[in-house]
Amino acid sequence: MSSSNPTPRDYNKASVLEVVLSRAPLTRNKLIELTGLSKATVSRAVEELRADGFIVDGGVDAVIGRGRRSTYLDVPPTTGHIVGVSFGVVTTCVLVTDLRGREIEHVIVPTVEHRDASAAGAWLVDLIEQTSATARGPLRQVVAALPAWVRGGTEVFRPADPMKIFAGGGLHRTVEDLVGAPVTFDSDANASLLGVLADDASIRNAALFSVSSILNFATCTDHELARGRTPAFGDFGVLSSGVDDQTLDGLLSTRGLLRFAREHGLDLQSVEDLWQAPQDNRARTEVVDAFTTAITTGVNVVAVTLDPESVYFVGRLRPLVEEVLPEVRKRLERTLPTVPRITTIAQVLGLSTARGAVTAGLAMTHNRLRDVLLRARTQGPQQEQSAPAF
C-alpha cells in the first residue's frame, strides 16, 4: 500500500498539470522544455492526466521538412470555468472563461440599486448563472471586484457611497451560499493592476490609481500584488490633497470632483462635462488646477514611500488625468530626484476589471488543483473518463 505522502512522481504530475493549465495548447516537446522533466516522465504524467480528464489532444503542429508532426496537448472545456465580476456603481460586468482563460461569455449591464445585501447577492448570482449557461464542467472560482477596500477576500470596507449597504461580510456570504463555489472579493484597483500585470510580464514594481466612484489604489512588488495587514493599506483617499481642506478622495473621485466643481460655480450635469464640454473660464481653471495638485500629491506620496517604476491611472476620470499629466510631470520634476513613468490605461468599462478578476481566479484554481492532486493520490490504474477526476 502506498504512503499517504506525495511522492516525486506526484510532484512531477503536478508540475505537468501546472504548465498545461497555464500554457496550453503546447506540444510534448515544449512541455518537456518548460518542466525540465524527462520525456518518459512527461509521457507518464500526460497519460495519467488524460485519464483524470485534464488533458486532451488538440491540433497538429505543422512541421517543415522531414519529421513527425507533434500533437498539441490542450485542456478540455469539461475541466470547469472561472467567473470574474466587476461589480461597480454604474455597471456590472460578468466574464466567464475556461481554465485556460479563454472567454466563454461576458455581459455588461447597468448595476441595479438594492436596499440590502441579500437582494443584491441574489441578483448578482442570477447574472452569473445566466452568463455561465453555455459553460461546461464545474464552476471553480468566482472573483468579484468592487469599488471598496476588502480584507481577507470577504469583508468589504469603505465602499463607494451608493454601495454603503455592502460594508461587512453579508454580500460575500450571500453570493457564496447561492453560487455553490469558492468566492473571493477584491478591490477594483487590485483587479485592474492584475490585468496590467497579465498583459506585461516585464512589470516589476508599479502603482495604480483607480480614479472613479472612489479613489482606490493598488501596488505590486516583484510582479506580485502587495497587500497590507489592514484595510488602511493603500487608502490614500484620506490624505490631504494639498488644496485647502480637500482630501485626495474629494478631488480624485467622480462624486468628489463633481461636488467640488459645482461648489466653484460650474454647472455640470455629470463629471464628464468637465472635459467633454469644457468651459473656458476661471472656475474651470481653478477646478483643473486643484485636480492637478491632487494628482501631483498622490504620485509624490507613492514615489517616496513605495518607489515604483511606473504609476498607472485608470477609471472614469482618466481623460482629465491625460489633460493634466504634462503639468503634473513638470511639478514632480521640481520635487523628486527621479520621476516614475506615469501613464493612463484605456479600459473597457467593467470588462477590463473583470478580466483582472479572472486572472486572480485562474491563479487560485490552478493552485487549488495542484494541491488537490497532491492530496488525492491514485491507488491504482484509472479508466478514461470525460469529466475531470478532481
Side-chain angles (χ1 to χ4, degrees):
M1 185 174 179
S2 60
S3 166
S4 59
N5 293 324
T7 66
R9 177 169 172 170
D10 297 322
Y11 284 107
N12 290 338
K13 181 179 175 182
S15 296
V16 170
L17 174 64
E18 184 176 8
V19 171
V20 170
L21 287 173
S22 62
R23 300 293 294 270
L26 76 173
T27 64
R28 288 175 185 258
N29 287 339
K30 188 64 177 179
L31 186 54
I32 291 169
E33 175 189 334
L34 292 173
T35 59
L37 301 173
S38 69
K39 180 178 180 180
T41 298
V42 167
S43 294
R44 181 171 58 243
V46 165
E47 293 313 307
E48 291 178 0
L49 288 168
R50 189 195 305 277
D52 289 337
F54 280 90
I55 286 182
V56 294
D57 290 333
V60 177
D61 184 22
V63 175
I64 299 176
R66 302 180 63 181
R68 296 181 58 186
R69 292 185 174 186
S70 298
T71 301
Y72 279 106
L73 302 173
D74 208 345
V75 180
T78 49
T79 54
H81 54 286
I82 305 293
V83 172
V85 180
S86 172
F87 190 27
V89 171
V90 178
T91 62
T92 295
C93 176
V94 174
L95 171 64
V96 183
T97 75
D98 63 14
L99 294 198
R100 272 185 46 204
R102 294 172 294 193
E103 180 176 329
I104 297 172
E105 187 65 76
H106 84 267
V107 299
I108 302 175
V109 300
T111 299
V112 175
E113 185 176 352
H114 296 283
R115 294 184 178 180
D116 59 74
S118 296
W123 174 80
L124 193 56
V125 170
D126 184 59
L127 189 61
I128 289 172
E129 291 176 346
Q130 292 179 34
T131 314
S132 305
T134 60
R136 299 171 61 188
L139 173 56
R140 299 284 186 176
Q141 179 74 50
V142 176
V143 176
L146 296 83
W149 282 261
V150 179
R151 181 171 64 186
T154 61
E155 292 186 82
V156 177
F157 291 84
R158 290 173 55 81
D161 287 345
M163 306 180 84
K164 291 293 187 185
I165 61 170
F166 302 142
L171 181 63
H172 179 270
R173 287 192 296 271
T174 298
V175 174
E176 191 162 59
D177 288 346
L178 292 175
V179 84
V183 176
T184 299
F185 282 2
D186 208 342
S187 72
D188 55 0
N190 278 343
S192 292
L193 184 52
L194 280 173
V196 173
L197 296 176
D199 291 338
D200 189 349
S202 68
I203 297 171
R204 308 309 304 171
N205 305 306
L208 179 143
F209 288 92
S210 177
V211 285
S212 202
S213 301
I214 62 172
L215 170 62
N216 220 337
F217 176 81
T219 184
C220 67
T221 303
D222 291 333
H223 204 71
E224 295 289 332
L225 280 187
R227 300 181 183 274
R229 293 177 293 103
T230 71
F233 177 76
D235 191 1
F236 287 98
V238 301
L239 301 179
S240 171
S241 66
V243 179
D244 299 329
D245 59 349
Q246 297 293 322
T247 64
L248 285 176
D249 186 69
L251 290 175
L252 299 183
S253 67
T254 55
R255 180 173 294 240
L257 185 61
L258 184 59
R259 179 171 54 245
F260 183 82
R262 287 171 176 170
E263 290 173 351
H264 281 69
L266 291 179
D267 183 19
L268 306 179
Q269 295 301 311
S270 68
V271 74
E272 284 82 5
D273 291 340
L274 196 55
W275 59 86
Q276 290 178 351
Q279 304 174 40
D280 187 14
N281 55 37
R282 180 178 177 181
R284 183 184 189 274
T285 300
E286 291 177 350
V287 171
V288 172
D289 183 69
F291 184 78
T292 304
T293 299
I295 293 286
T296 305
T297 299
V299 176
N300 250 319
V301 171
V302 169
V304 300
T305 58
L306 300 174
D307 193 28
E309 298 162 336
S310 300
V311 177
Y312 301 99
F313 283 87
V314 300
R316 285 175 63 193
L317 296 180
R318 177 185 59 82
L320 193 57
V321 176
E322 292 177 343
E323 178 182 333
V324 304
L325 267 186
E327 176 61 23
V328 168
R329 293 189 181 99
K330 289 180 182 178
R331 296 186 186 186
L332 290 171
E333 287 171 355
R334 294 197 291 265
T335 59
L336 296 175
T338 302
V339 178
R341 186 174 70 97
I342 311 170
T343 186
T344 61
I345 300 177
Q347 295 186 321
V348 178
L349 186 62
L351 182 57
S352 297
T353 303
R355 284 175 177 153
V358 162
T359 299
L362 288 169
M364 294 175 191
T365 300
H366 292 178
N367 289 336
R368 189 182 303 120
L369 289 174
R370 174 185 171 88
D371 291 343
V372 171
L373 186 155
L374 292 175
R375 289 199 306 267
R377 296 187 54 211
T378 305
Q379 297 296 317
Q382 298 186 7
Q383 302 297 318
E384 289 281 344
Q385 56 187 59
S386 58
F390 49 90

